[in-house]
Short mmCIF file of all heavy atoms in Angstrom, two decimals:
data_model
loop_
_atom_site.label_atom_id
_atom_site.label_comp_id
_atom_site.label_asym_id
_atom_site.label_seq_id
_atom_site.Cartn_x
_atom_site.Cartn_y
_atom_site.Cartn_z
N ILE A 114 -16.40 1.37 -7.78
CA ILE A 114 -17.52 1.72 -6.90
C ILE A 114 -17.02 2.04 -5.49
O ILE A 114 -17.43 3.03 -4.86
CB ILE A 114 -18.55 0.58 -6.86
CG1 ILE A 114 -19.26 0.47 -8.22
CG2 ILE A 114 -19.57 0.79 -5.74
CD1 ILE A 114 -20.16 -0.74 -8.34
N ALA A 115 -16.10 1.20 -4.98
CA ALA A 115 -15.56 1.42 -3.64
C ALA A 115 -14.78 2.72 -3.55
O ALA A 115 -14.97 3.52 -2.63
CB ALA A 115 -14.68 0.24 -3.24
N VAL A 116 -13.90 2.93 -4.54
CA VAL A 116 -13.10 4.16 -4.54
C VAL A 116 -13.99 5.38 -4.77
O VAL A 116 -13.86 6.41 -4.09
CB VAL A 116 -12.00 4.09 -5.61
CG1 VAL A 116 -11.25 5.42 -5.71
CG2 VAL A 116 -11.03 2.95 -5.32
N GLY A 117 -14.91 5.28 -5.73
CA GLY A 117 -15.79 6.40 -6.04
C GLY A 117 -16.67 6.80 -4.87
O GLY A 117 -16.97 7.98 -4.67
N ALA A 118 -17.09 5.80 -4.07
CA ALA A 118 -17.92 6.11 -2.90
C ALA A 118 -17.19 7.03 -1.94
O ALA A 118 -17.80 7.91 -1.31
CB ALA A 118 -18.33 4.81 -2.19
N LEU A 119 -15.86 6.85 -1.83
CA LEU A 119 -15.08 7.72 -0.95
C LEU A 119 -14.82 9.08 -1.59
O LEU A 119 -14.95 10.12 -0.95
CB LEU A 119 -13.74 7.04 -0.62
CG LEU A 119 -13.81 5.81 0.28
CD1 LEU A 119 -12.42 5.23 0.49
CD2 LEU A 119 -14.44 6.14 1.62
N VAL A 120 -14.45 9.06 -2.86
CA VAL A 120 -14.10 10.31 -3.54
C VAL A 120 -15.28 11.25 -3.64
O VAL A 120 -15.20 12.44 -3.28
CB VAL A 120 -13.53 10.01 -4.95
CG1 VAL A 120 -13.40 11.31 -5.75
CG2 VAL A 120 -12.18 9.32 -4.84
N PHE A 121 -16.42 10.74 -4.10
CA PHE A 121 -17.57 11.62 -4.37
C PHE A 121 -18.40 11.93 -3.13
O PHE A 121 -19.27 12.80 -3.17
CB PHE A 121 -18.43 11.02 -5.48
CG PHE A 121 -17.74 11.01 -6.82
CD1 PHE A 121 -17.20 9.85 -7.34
CD2 PHE A 121 -17.58 12.19 -7.54
CE1 PHE A 121 -16.55 9.84 -8.56
CE2 PHE A 121 -16.92 12.20 -8.76
CZ PHE A 121 -16.40 11.02 -9.27
N ALA A 122 -18.10 11.22 -2.04
CA ALA A 122 -18.77 11.55 -0.78
C ALA A 122 -17.99 12.59 0.01
O ALA A 122 -18.46 13.05 1.06
CB ALA A 122 -18.94 10.29 0.06
N SER A 123 -16.83 12.98 -0.48
CA SER A 123 -16.03 13.99 0.21
C SER A 123 -16.74 15.34 0.19
O SER A 123 -17.44 15.67 -0.78
CB SER A 123 -14.66 14.13 -0.46
OG SER A 123 -13.97 12.92 -0.45
N PRO A 124 -16.58 16.13 1.23
CA PRO A 124 -17.17 17.48 1.25
C PRO A 124 -16.70 18.31 0.07
O PRO A 124 -15.57 18.15 -0.40
CB PRO A 124 -16.68 18.05 2.58
CG PRO A 124 -16.31 16.88 3.42
CD PRO A 124 -15.82 15.83 2.47
N ALA A 125 -17.54 19.19 -0.38
CA ALA A 125 -17.20 20.02 -1.55
C ALA A 125 -15.97 20.88 -1.29
O ALA A 125 -15.22 21.19 -2.22
CB ALA A 125 -18.39 20.90 -1.91
N GLU A 126 -15.75 21.24 -0.03
CA GLU A 126 -14.61 22.11 0.28
C GLU A 126 -13.29 21.33 0.33
O GLU A 126 -12.21 21.94 0.42
CB GLU A 126 -14.82 22.82 1.62
CG GLU A 126 -14.93 21.91 2.83
CD GLU A 126 -16.36 21.45 3.10
OE1 GLU A 126 -17.21 21.59 2.20
OE2 GLU A 126 -16.60 20.95 4.22
N PHE A 127 -13.37 20.00 0.27
CA PHE A 127 -12.14 19.21 0.26
C PHE A 127 -11.53 19.24 -1.13
O PHE A 127 -12.06 18.70 -2.08
CB PHE A 127 -12.41 17.76 0.67
CG PHE A 127 -11.18 16.89 0.68
CD1 PHE A 127 -10.31 16.93 1.74
CD2 PHE A 127 -10.89 16.06 -0.40
CE1 PHE A 127 -9.17 16.14 1.76
CE2 PHE A 127 -9.75 15.27 -0.40
CZ PHE A 127 -8.89 15.32 0.68
N ARG A 128 -10.39 19.94 -1.26
CA ARG A 128 -9.73 20.07 -2.56
C ARG A 128 -8.24 19.76 -2.42
O ARG A 128 -7.62 20.08 -1.40
CB ARG A 128 -9.89 21.49 -3.11
CG ARG A 128 -11.34 21.96 -3.30
CD ARG A 128 -12.09 21.12 -4.34
NE ARG A 128 -11.42 21.10 -5.62
CZ ARG A 128 -11.61 22.03 -6.59
NH1 ARG A 128 -12.44 23.06 -6.36
NH2 ARG A 128 -10.99 21.93 -7.75
N VAL A 129 -7.70 19.15 -3.45
CA VAL A 129 -6.27 18.89 -3.52
C VAL A 129 -5.61 19.90 -4.44
O VAL A 129 -4.54 20.44 -4.15
CB VAL A 129 -5.99 17.45 -4.00
CG1 VAL A 129 -4.49 17.24 -4.22
CG2 VAL A 129 -6.53 16.44 -3.00
N ALA A 130 -6.25 20.15 -5.58
CA ALA A 130 -5.74 21.12 -6.56
C ALA A 130 -6.88 22.07 -6.91
O ALA A 130 -7.66 21.82 -7.83
CB ALA A 130 -5.22 20.41 -7.80
#
Side-chain angles (χ1 to χ4, degrees):
I114 290 172
V116 175
L119 291 178
V120 170
F121 292 103
S123 300
E126 62 271 15
F127 180 80
R128 301 296 304 273
V129 174

